[in-house]
Amino acid sequence: MRPRPTGNPATSKSDEAWRTSITHIEPNRILVRGYALDELMGRVSFGDAIYLLLQGELPPPAISRIITAILVSSVDHGAMPPSTLVARNVATTGAPLRAAVAAGVLGFGAYHGGDVEACMEVLDQGLDLVRAGTPYTEAAETVVHGTLAEGKRVPGFGHRLHTRDPRANKLLQMSYELDVEGEHVRLLRVMERVLGKAKRTEADPIPINVDGAIAAICGDIGMDHEFGAALFIISRVPGLIAHAHEERLRERPMRQIDPKDAVYDGPGERRLPEGRK
Amino acid sequence: MRPRPTGNPATSKSDEAWRTSITHIEPNRILVRGYALDELMGRVSFGDAIYLLLQGELPPPAISRIITAILVSSVDHGAMPPSTLVARNVATTGAPLRAAVAAGVLGFGAYHGGDVEACMEVLDQGLDLVRAGTPYTEAAETVVHGTLAEGKRVPGFGHRLHTRDPRANKLLQMSYELDVEGEHVRLLRVMERVLGKAKRTEADPIPINVDGAIAAICGDIGMDHEFGAALFIISRVPGLIAHAHEERLRERPMRQIDPKDAVYDGPGERRLPEGRK
Amino acid sequence: MRPRPTGNPATSKSDEAWRTSITHIEPNRILVRGYALDELMGRVSFGDAIYLLLQGELPPPAISRIITAILVSSVDHGAMPPSTLVARNVATTGAPLRAAVAAGVLGFGAYHGGDVEACMEVLDQGLDLVRAGTPYTEAAETVVHGTLAEGKRVPGFGHRLHTRDPRANKLLQMSYELDVEGEHVRLLRVMERVLGKAKRTEADPIPINVDGAIAAICGDIGMDHEFGAALFIISRVPGLIAHAHEERLRERPMRQIDPKDAVYDGPGERRLPEGRK
Amino acid sequence: MRPRPTGNPATSKSDEAWRTSITHIEPNRILVRGYALDELMGRVSFGDAIYLLLQGELPPPAISRIITAILVSSVDHGAMPPSTLVARNVATTGAPLRAAVAAGVLGFGAYHGGDVEACMEVLDQGLDLVRAGTPYTEAAETVVHGTLAEGKRVPGFGHRLHTRDPRANKLLQMSYELDVEGEHVRLLRVMERVLGKAKRTEADPIPINVDGAIAAICGDIGMDHEFGAALFIISRVPGLIAHAHEERLRERPMRQIDPKDAVYDGPGERRLPEGRK
């Protein structure tokens, strides 16, 4: 009986080509979306290269700046997030860096990083109403009250720690100044007011969080839902790496990691150097 | 017997604090290495934020530019690399994007992305000799011939496809122009000559590859070995995302993916727009 | 500013105990669901230990036999499944075995191993109707036609390769002989007839597949939906390991793996030795 | 330029078949190592199927029993191990079960589950000496003192919690009773005595741990080093699943998991039912 082909003769026939429009490779030549990689190097920022890969074109200057701000916004959030604890718990076992990063990425679940995509969907539902003639406030009320009536949290709002998320505020301010905001950001802001009235007193607001800001901006610049979530993954991978590396550098192997016992001993608060302002 | 504490009384005592110097978090305030995250946003590039996270300080301008070029250099390499095939094979099963990314990262094995770290180790061995008084050529011969004598490939040289890696050349040229090159780059160049004489005819060179260039530059700017490998991971995650996304967008689920059947149908070769040159 | 506690004072207070009912550990003593692990060793099969972990009790003999048959049924399916290709693609890069296994598990997406859970949900929808007085045939028609009307495939039926899945047949036959079949298996069989009439000629049936058989049996023995999927994961991990190991043993690193080029060269067909029949 | 083949013309030619000896698949027929899968189902234990996959043949009865005991021995170790915390931290983010399992597997690092393979290597070094004529005690002294002189822990000995590992004792007792022990187990026992004298007082022994027992037994039954580690992975996956499932069932999402706060509230200690003894 040996050797003989294994597998389906029917599928074996399907030797047809499949297509990819991302990168063309030939000996000594690498074209990403048509641009020579060695021409991109030194000419574009990493944020631009990421946008080019995902969207197919280099971004105009305003979008380039907001994409970079999004990528910087989520680069780390200390030792508390479950994904970071995952990376540290893998690192403490002596596993390689790649394993810690991969495991950390798996810790971006529906409740952690998943708000970007969920919020984009809610915004799209509301904007479907707006485009059909419903005023913004009414559309916001429909989606907010509808979500709350199902006993669910409205994605893109609230944070277990921050009552006013500094990253969200900065992103929304930049999107205003760079004139990239549109109907998604507008609806998100109306939803914030509706949600404030619906649930809480003024002393206890449910503000837009960083995921909500990223979702609305990504919607306004025309990115696919999945890419909103993708920007969060890309942004946080360096944070996972920094924590996995620090874990092995500073702590003993196989320790029991209690997130509540972490004490910060890095540099005190400092301002950016003059040239950076 | 229930309920009762489970686990080691001895380890239960160790409620001591542990320390992290990466990010300080308190309500409405996030300080990365001492800088407010919302001040960094809009002021620094994503490459700078990554360097800040890993190295603890913002990079000077020349290092900022070379780090960005490194991050752009490895952003994608088409559908051929095993890590990309892994991401596509996971995507074709209907698994979520995060799963495709995590699995792809696990495909950065010793033979694929692992050259950066291995090359940094070889360079350090050679530079130990140089610092002890051995001339560069002799040091290069010792490590190159030593590696070959063990029947191993010299890490940082050669590519299964490129006979002259355009990414390596551009990185080395930039490190020269930006004046960030030092003894690591110098030794790498000498090793290339030694290796050329040792093994091949002129028609069949074993040139410095992109991993070798990254390794030498990371050595010269004082990065930890592990961070050389980390830059490759960070750089390639967007490529994994682009391929996983395209797989689901353009192909049917559960297909059998033959890497050799891929046909590029994206934009033809094009030059950067004027403003980018 | 250093050192200072990092993280939320509010959450820092929550030092309350949390509970687990799986395994009690103290020095020199390990109790799984109350049984000493060293007493279980040598006394129970691996299938029994798995059932004990998941369900909290040791299985009665008939359930013990069917659980073991389920675990054996999915242990491998050759080199074609995407999850297996993922494990091989990771292995070819020189990554460690753990990385290949973890990546392979990530390749159990909605279309690959995901049918067990999806089929259990469809069966529960149908049985809700049955319990409310609807006859089996009508309940089966409702869920089958409802699924097809949404343009979806009915989970638990059909296979891209097998027109008559030998694993499904054996499992259903065993569940009959061991008298563990119940309303889930009954509904599944009625659905098969309904689906046959709905879509195809007799020459082109859509039979119950192994996932459907596992789903119905797990339903009849009272397992949680998630555990149906879990049995598939547990079963296939050894297959992922065998392929990752063989890949490194027999093939060169960094090869391009075309699933359609695999040729089987193992032992020819053979019957179980006498004592095993 | 479009469409055109992407990739190396040289590698494109290599359409040659590659070989696998694990499983032959054709429509309606699955042969694992030559045996029809539906004939194996109901006839062999899951442990036997695993051994068949890894080793290529069904195990004789004594080896069948010891393999099953090994697989049962490591099925869970409570909430303390880093890999289990990883699975729980992934589960608390709302990620799917597969993600929790894959991440948990990545937490089997060198210090956690890695002892099996490391111990097999040390045993082989010692047995090389024995086969060259060195007495067992001298060989044990050479490898134990050599390892300690490098400042390393001897793999296969000691446990952060157990001073007398009940799993190791049971495995070694079974290997004696089943007559599967050989030179590996013998050397391991001699090493235990040598290590006891070398380092500690009688009050503070460094006993053989479960990884050491598995390593020696796997050596004596002729398994590859990698498969020793593989048995640990296969064994612990069900434990990862039980914990990920319990985490979502009993705890609130996005909680901060402190391993030291776990309280066991499952069944009190109980003995196996009569028929199982």
Side-chain angles (χ1 to χ4, degrees):
Chain A
M1 199 180 84
R2 68 169 81 174
R4 53 192 280 183
T6 189
N8 190 355
T11 63
S12 291
K13 277 181 297 188
S14 66
D15 272 285
E16 324 129 24
W18 53 277
R19 285 147 208 285
T20 175
S21 66
I22 301 170
T23 299
H24 173 73
I25 305 285
E26 58 186 65
N28 306 335
R29 199 143 160 273
I30 305 165
L31 304 179
V32 174
R33 303 288 191 185
Y35 296 110
L37 193 45
D38 48 334
E39 192 178 351
L40 291 168
M41 292 162 64
R43 293 281 172 264
V44 305
S45 73
F46 186 34
D48 288 352
I50 292 165
Y51 185 92
L52 174 66
L53 258 183
L54 301 184
Q55 296 290 90
E57 297 295 335
L58 286 166
I63 292 183
S64 168
R65 292 201 55 199
I66 200 79
I67 288 286
T68 288
I70 288 173
L71 290 166
V72 171
S73 74
S74 301
V75 85
D76 194 49
H77 198 262
M80 278 171 40
S83 56
T84 307
L85 290 167
V86 163
R88 282 187 174 268
N89 268 297
V90 169
T92 196
T93 71
L97 181 67
R98 290 181 296 272
V101 172
V105 167
L106 296 173
F108 300 146
Y111 303 113
H112 176 31
D115 252 18
V116 180
E117 212 164 343
C119 182
M120 286 179 91
E121 274 156 36
V122 168
L123 289 172
D124 275 356
Q125 287 164 23
L127 289 172
D128 282 347
L129 298 175
V130 168
R131 284 165 203 149
T134 313
Y136 272 89
T137 306
E138 206 175 304
E141 285 168 353
T142 303
V143 295
V144 166
H145 295 156
T147 307
L148 296 176
E150 292 175 41
K152 290 196 286 193
R153 211 171 46 76
V154 184
F157 295 89
H159 194 277
R160 60 201 160 115
L161 180 57
H162 307 301
T163 55
R164 179 189 159 284
D165 191 321
R167 301 163 294 180
N169 289 3
K170 181 61 177 273
L171 283 179
L172 292 174
Q173 176 194 333
M174 284 184 70
S175 79
Y176 167 72
E177 290 173 4
L178 293 167
D179 203 19
V180 297
E181 71 175 16
E183 51 185 2
H184 293 80
V185 168
R186 183 171 169 194
L187 180 60
L188 188 78
R189 290 190 189 280
V190 179
M191 284 173 66
E192 188 181 33
R193 285 200 299 275
V194 167
L195 189 60
K197 281 185 208 159
K199 287 262 297 196
R200 305 268 185 129
T201 67
E202 253 176 67
D204 187 12
I206 308 182
I208 296 168
N209 63 28
V210 65
D211 291 347
I214 294 174
I217 292 168
C218 284
D220 278 339
I221 63 180
M223 292 189 90
D224 186 278
H225 289 193
E226 194 166 80
F227 287 150
L231 291 181
F232 176 76
I233 297 175
I234 296 169
S235 173
R236 185 57 59 85
V237 161
L240 297 175
I241 289 168
H243 282 276
H245 184 81
E246 188 188 56
E247 177 66 30
R248 276 197 301 220
L249 201 67
R250 301 187 69 177
E251 306 291 336
R252 67 170 201 286
M254 291 302 283
R255 74 183 180 104
Q256 298 265 297
I257 303 175
D258 180 354
K260 299 188 298 298
D261 290 342
V263 170
Y264 176 76
D265 70 346
E269 182 160 14
R270 49 182 173 168
R271 304 300 305 270
L272 283 176
E274 271 311 308
R276 297 281 192 171
K277 284 184 196 168
Chain B
M1 200 179 86
R2 68 170 81 173
R4 54 193 278 183
T6 189
N8 189 357
T11 64
S12 291
K13 277 181 296 189
S14 65
D15 271 286
E16 324 127 24
W18 53 278
R19 285 147 208 284
T20 174
S21 65
I22 301 169
T23 299
H24 172 73
I25 304 285
E26 59 185 64
N28 307 334
R29 201 145 159 272
I30 304 164
L31 304 179
V32 174
R33 303 288 190 185
Y35 296 111
L37 192 46
D38 48 335
E39 193 178 350
L40 291 169
M41 292 161 64
R43 293 281 171 265
V44 304
S45 72
F46 186 33
D48 288 351
I50 292 165
Y51 185 93
L52 173 66
L53 257 183
L54 301 184
Q55 296 289 91
E57 299 293 336
L58 286 165
I63 291 182
S64 168
R65 291 200 58 198
I66 200 80
I67 288 287
T68 289
I70 288 173
L71 290 166
V72 171
S73 73
S74 302
V75 85
D76 195 49
H77 198 262
M80 279 171 40
S83 55
T84 306
L85 290 168
V86 163
R88 282 187 174 267
N89 269 298
V90 170
T92 195
T93 72
L97 182 67
R98 290 181 295 271
V101 173
V105 168
L106 295 172
F108 300 145
Y111 302 112
H112 176 30
D115 253 19
V116 180
E117 211 164 344
C119 182
M120 286 179 89
E121 273 155 38
V122 167
L123 289 173
D124 276 357
Q125 289 164 21
L127 289 172
D128 281 348
L129 299 175
V130 168
R131 285 166 202 148
T134 313
Y136 272 87
T137 306
E138 205 176 306
E141 285 168 354
T142 303
V143 294
V144 166
H145 295 157
T147 307
L148 295 177
E150 293 175 41
K152 291 196 285 192
R153 210 173 46 75
V154 184
F157 295 89
H159 194 277
R160 59 200 161 119
L161 180 57
H162 306 301
T163 54
R164 179 189 159 283
D165 192 323
R167 302 163 295 180
N169 289 4
K170 181 61 177 271
L171 283 178
L172 293 174
Q173 176 194 333
M174 284 184 69
S175 78
Y176 167 73
E177 290 174 5
L178 293 166
D179 202 19
V180 298
E181 70 174 17
E183 53 185 0
H184 293 79
V185 169
R186 183 173 169 193
L187 179 61
L188 188 77
R189 290 189 189 280
V190 180
M191 284 171 68
E192 189 182 31
R193 284 199 300 275
V194 168
L195 188 60
K197 280 184 211 160
K199 286 265 296 196
R200 305 271 184 125
T201 67
E202 252 176 67
D204 186 12
I206 307 181
I208 295 170
N209 63 28
V210 65
D211 291 347
I214 294 175
I217 293 169
C218 284
D220 278 340
I221 64 180
M223 292 190 90
D224 187 277
H225 290 192
E226 194 166 79
F227 287 149
L231 291 181
F232 175 76
I233 297 175
I234 296 169
S235 173
R236 184 58 59 85
V237 162
L240 297 175
I241 289 168
H243 282 276
H245 184 80
E246 188 187 56
E247 176 66 30
R248 277 197 301 221
L249 202 66
R250 301 186 70 177
E251 305 292 335
R252 67 170 202 286
M254 292 302 284
R255 74 182 179 104
Q256 298 264 299
I257 304 174
D258 179 354
K260 299 187 297 300
D261 290 342
V263 170
Y264 176 75
D265 70 346
E269 182 160 14
R270 47 181 175 170
R271 303 301 304 269
L272 283 176
E274 272 310 309
R276 297 280 192 173
K277 283 183 196 168
Chain C
M1 201 180 86
R2 69 170 81 174
R4 53 192 280 183
T6 189
N8 189 357
T11 63
S12 291
K13 277 181 297 188
S14 66
D15 270 286
E16 325 128 22
W18 54 276
R19 283 146 210 284
T20 175
S21 66
I22 301 170
T23 299
H24 173 72
I25 304 285
E26 58 185 65
N28 305 335
R29 201 146 157 272
I30 305 164
L31 304 179
V32 175
R33 303 289 191 185
Y35 296 111
L37 193 46
D38 48 334
E39 193 178 350
L40 290 168
M41 293 162 63
R43 293 281 172 265
V44 304
S45 73
F46 186 33
D48 288 352
I50 292 166
Y51 185 92
L52 173 67
L53 257 182
L54 301 184
Q55 296 289 90
E57 297 294 333
L58 287 166
I63 292 183
S64 168
R65 292 200 56 200
I66 200 80
I67 288 287
T68 288
I70 288 173
L71 290 166
V72 171
S73 73
S74 302
V75 86
D76 194 48
H77 198 262
M80 279 172 40
S83 54
T84 307
L85 290 167
V86 163
R88 281 187 175 268
N89 269 297
V90 170
T92 195
T93 72
L97 181 68
R98 289 180 297 272
V101 172
V105 168
L106 296 172
F108 300 146
Y111 303 112
H112 176 30
D115 252 19
V116 180
E117 213 164 344
C119 183
M120 285 178 91
E121 274 156 37
V122 167
L123 289 172
D124 275 357
Q125 288 164 23
L127 289 172
D128 281 349
L129 298 175
V130 167
R131 285 164 201 147
T134 312
Y136 271 89
T137 306
E138 207 177 303
E141 284 168 355
T142 303
V143 296
V144 166
H145 295 155
T147 306
L148 296 177
E150 292 175 40
K152 291 196 286 193
R153 211 171 46 77
V154 184
F157 295 89
H159 194 278
R160 64 203 155 114
L161 181 57
H162 306 301
T163 54
R164 179 188 159 283
D165 192 321
R167 300 162 297 179
N169 288 3
K170 181 61 177 272
L171 283 178
L172 293 174
Q173 176 194 333
M174 284 184 70
S175 78
Y176 167 73
E177 290 173 5
L178 293 166
D179 202 18
V180 298
E181 71 174 18
E183 52 185 0
H184 293 78
V185 169
R186 184 173 167 192
L187 180 61
L188 188 77
R189 289 188 189 281
V190 179
M191 284 172 66
E192 188 182 33
R193 285 199 299 274
V194 168
L195 188 60
K197 281 183 209 160
K199 287 264 295 197
R200 306 270 183 126
T201 67
E202 253 177 66
D204 187 13
I206 307 181
I208 296 169
N209 63 28
V210 65
D211 291 346
I214 294 174
I217 293 168
C218 284
D220 278 339
I221 63 180
M223 292 190 91
D224 187 278
H225 290 192
E226 194 166 80
F227 287 149
L231 291 181
F232 176 75
I233 298 175
I234 296 169
S235 173
R236 185 58 58 84
V237 161
L240 297 175
I241 289 168
H243 282 276
H245 184 81
E246 188 187 57
E247 177 66 30
R248 278 197 300 220
L249 201 67
R250 301 187 69 178
E251 305 292 335
R252 67 170 202 286
M254 293 301 285
R255 76 184 178 104
Q256 299 263 298
I257 304 174
D258 180 354
K260 297 186 298 299
D261 290 341
V263 170
Y264 176 75
D265 70 346
E269 183 160 12
R270 48 183 174 167
R271 304 300 305 270
L272 284 176
E274 271 311 308
R276 297 280 193 171
K277 283 184 195 167
Chain D
M1 199 179 87
R2 69 170 81 173
R4 54 192 279 184
T6 189
N8 189 358
T11 63
S12 291
K13 275 180 296 186
S14 65
D15 271 285
E16 327 128 21
W18 54 276
R19 284 146 209 285
T20 174
S21 66
I22 301 170
T23 299
H24 173 72
I25 305 285
E26 58 185 65
N28 306 332
R29 201 145 158 271
I30 304 164
L31 304 180
V32 175
R33 304 288 191 186
Y35 296 111
L37 192 46
D38 48 334
E39 193 178 352
L40 290 168
M41 292 161 63
R43 292 281 172 266
V44 304
S45 73
F46 187 32
D48 288 352
I50 292 166
Y51 185 92
L52 173 66
L53 257 182
L54 301 185
Q55 296 289 90
E57 297 294 335
L58 287 165
I63 292 183
S64 169
R65 291 199 58 198
I66 200 80
I67 288 286
T68 288
I70 288 172
L71 290 166
V72 171
S73 73
S74 301
V75 86
D76 195 49
H77 198 263
M80 280 172 40
S83 55
T84 306
L85 290 167
V86 163
R88 282 187 174 269
N89 269 298
V90 170
T92 195
T93 71
L97 181 66
R98 290 180 296 272
V101 172
V105 167
L106 296 173
F108 300 146
Y111 302 112
H112 176 31
D115 252 18
V116 180
E117 212 164 343
C119 182
M120 286 178 90
E121 274 155 37
V122 168
L123 289 172
D124 276 356
Q125 288 164 22
L127 289 173
D128 281 349
L129 299 175
V130 168
R131 285 166 201 145
T134 313
Y136 271 88
T137 306
E138 205 176 303
E141 284 169 354
T142 302
V143 294
V144 166
H145 294 156
T147 306
L148 296 177
E150 292 175 42
K152 291 195 287 191
R153 208 172 49 75
V154 184
F157 295 88
H159 194 278
R160 63 202 156 114
L161 181 57
H162 306 301
T163 54
R164 179 188 159 284
D165 192 321
R167 302 164 296 180
N169 289 3
K170 181 61 177 273
L171 283 179
L172 293 174
Q173 175 194 333
M174 284 183 70
S175 78
Y176 168 73
E177 290 173 4
L178 292 166
D179 202 19
V180 297
E181 70 174 19
E183 52 185 1
H184 294 79
V185 169
R186 184 172 169 193
L187 179 61
L188 188 77
R189 290 190 189 279
V190 179
M191 284 172 66
E192 189 182 32
R193 284 200 300 275
V194 168
L195 188 60
K197 280 184 209 161
K199 286 265 294 196
R200 306 270 184 126
T201 66
E202 252 176 66
D204 187 13
I206 307 182
I208 295 169
N209 64 28
V210 64
D211 291 347
I214 294 174
I217 293 168
C218 284
D220 278 339
I221 64 181
M223 292 190 91
D224 187 277
H225 289 193
E226 194 167 79
F227 287 150
L231 291 181
F232 176 75
I233 297 175
I234 295 169
S235 173
R236 185 57 59 85
V237 162
L240 298 175
I241 288 169
H243 282 275
H245 184 80
E246 188 187 57
E247 176 66 31
R248 277 197 301 221
L249 201 68
R250 301 186 69 177
E251 306 291 336
R252 67 170 202 286
M254 292 302 284
R255 74 184 180 105
Q256 298 263 299
I257 304 175
D258 180 354
K260 298 187 298 298
D261 291 341
V263 170
Y264 176 75
D265 70 346
E269 183 161 14
R270 49 183 174 167
R271 303 301 304 270
L272 283 176
E274 271 311 308
R276 296 282 192 171
K277 284 183 196 168

